[in-house]
């Protein structure tokens, strides 16, 4: 079934607008994800930078109660799901869960979400390393402290992203509605006005060419015996 141009073109335009709205939404979500990741990374860097000197001081003084209290207080930070203070050899010195403290191997107390923390290592020229998890749903950080201690931290990205999307949902809907409404108005204009006028113009040109192609009747030769010429009836052009 072949659709006429006045229907096909507006339909294609509407479909293109739908695809454009979906693409715009995907790009907006990606932009929000990058913004949330940047904000969380900056916040985590500032927080761990403040804690580093105090943790080093308590490690130097071998003040385990204060170390455990500081690590436990990291759980008050929004979206932070894991925090482990690891002594040389892998023993857990501090954690968000009191039951983890004193465990000989950190990999025995970590759940699957926290396991990627074990693969993090800091570079020689910096004490803090932050990177995104393989699934893109969290930030993983390792902070090198005094006497070979390490602080492993995981912060969630999905919750702040959901909050950002919820706060900007009106903007997303407004962009999509603007694209679709503009495409719909243009499609209606093409369907109701443009193609109708174009069809009229085509019909007028076709009729004009048909009139020029109509053969003319030859004139009768002059006759001396007739003083009044009688016109022959003209055959209408089909």
């Amino acid at each position: 079934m072949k659709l006429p141009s006045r229907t096909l073109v507006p339909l294609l335009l509407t479909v293109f607008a739908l695809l454009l709205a979906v693409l715009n939404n995907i790009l907006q979500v990606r932009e929000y994800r990058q913004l949330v990741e940047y904000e969380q990374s900056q916040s985590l860097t500032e927080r761990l930078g403040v804690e580093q000197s105090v943790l080093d001081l308590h490690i130097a003084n071998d003040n385990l109660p204060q170390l455990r209290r500081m690590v436990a207080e990291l759980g008050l930070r929004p979206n932070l799901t894991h925090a482990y203070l690891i002594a040389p050899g892998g023993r857990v010195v501090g954690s968000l869960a009191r039951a983890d403290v004193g465990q000989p191997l950190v990999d025995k107390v970590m759940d699957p979400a926290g396991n990627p923390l074990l693969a993090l290592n800091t570079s020689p020229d910096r004490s803090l390393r932050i990177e995104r998890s393989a699934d893109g749903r969290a930030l993983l950080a390792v902070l090198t402290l005094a006497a070979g201690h390490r602080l492993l931290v995981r912060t969630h990205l999905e919750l702040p992203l959901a909050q950002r999307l919820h706060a900007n949902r009106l903007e997303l809907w407004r962009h999509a509605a603007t694209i679709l409404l503009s495409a719909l108005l243009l499609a209606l204009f093409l369907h109701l006005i443009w193609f109708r006028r174009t069809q009229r113009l085509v019909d007028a040109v076709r009729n004009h060419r048909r009139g020029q192609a109509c053969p003319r009747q030859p004139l009768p030769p002059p006759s001396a015996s007739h003083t009044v010429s009688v016109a022959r009836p003209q055959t209408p052009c089909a």
Side-chain angles (χ1 to χ4, degrees):
M1 180 181 179
K2 185 177 180 180
L3 296 176
S5 298
R6 62 176 299 185
T7 301
L8 182 61
V9 173
L11 181 61
L12 292 177
L13 183 62
T14 304
V15 173
F16 176 76
L18 288 173
L19 295 177
L20 186 61
V22 172
L23 178 61
N24 178 74
N25 185 76
I26 293 175
L27 294 178
Q28 286 282 358
V29 172
R30 181 179 300 177
E31 181 181 349
Y32 290 149
R33 182 180 294 276
Q34 293 174 349
L35 181 60
V36 166
E37 181 179 340
Y38 173 78
E39 291 175 347
Q40 293 298 315
S41 178
Q42 290 295 109
S43 177
L44 193 59
T45 300
E46 294 173 1
R47 178 62 185 271
L48 295 181
V50 172
E51 301 287 349
Q52 183 177 8
S53 58
V54 183
L55 288 171
D56 285 339
L57 178 62
H58 291 318
I59 290 173
N61 295 331
D62 198 22
N63 192 342
L64 293 180
Q66 286 296 327
L67 287 173
R68 292 168 183 170
R69 181 183 62 81
M70 290 186 63
V71 175
E73 288 178 351
L74 290 175
L76 300 177
R77 184 181 183 276
N79 309 314
L80 194 145
T81 59
H82 298 73
Y84 299 98
L85 180 60
I86 311 300
R91 183 172 57 90
V92 180
V93 178
S95 173
L96 299 182
R98 184 175 299 179
D100 297 340
V101 177
Q103 295 293 329
L105 294 176
V106 66
D107 57 348
K108 298 296 183 182
V109 300
M110 281 194 179
D111 54 18
N115 281 336
L117 287 169
L118 298 177
L120 286 180
N121 292 305
T122 55
S123 58
D125 58 338
R126 56 190 303 182
S127 59
L128 176 63
R129 178 183 178 186
I130 300 177
E131 66 179 37
R132 186 174 54 183
S133 62
D135 58 5
R137 303 181 62 183
L139 287 179
L140 310 176
V142 54
L143 178 65
T144 301
L145 301 170
H149 288 69
R150 292 187 305 157
L151 179 64
L152 306 179
V153 175
R154 180 184 185 273
T155 183
H156 203 46
L157 291 177
E158 291 300 308
L159 181 57
L161 176 60
Q163 293 171 344
R164 176 61 63 90
L165 291 176
H166 180 75
N168 294 274
R169 66 189 186 281
L170 293 180
E171 181 180 357
L172 293 174
W173 280 109
R174 184 170 63 251
H175 287 171
T178 300
I179 294 174
L180 293 176
L181 183 60
S182 301
L184 181 60
L185 292 177
L186 181 57
L188 289 175
F189 171 77
L190 292 176
H191 181 74
L192 299 178
I193 300 177
W194 179 263
F195 281 104
R196 180 174 295 179
R197 291 187 176 182
T198 303
Q199 186 62 43
R200 290 178 180 174
L201 180 60
V202 171
D203 292 341
V205 172
R206 186 177 299 166
N207 292 334
H208 178 69
R209 289 181 176 178
R210 184 180 300 172
Q212 287 184 339
C214 181
R216 297 182 178 180
Q217 296 293 333
L219 293 175
S223 176
S225 60
H226 293 82
T227 59
V228 179
S229 61
V230 179
R232 295 182 181 181
Q234 299 294 325
T235 303
C237 181

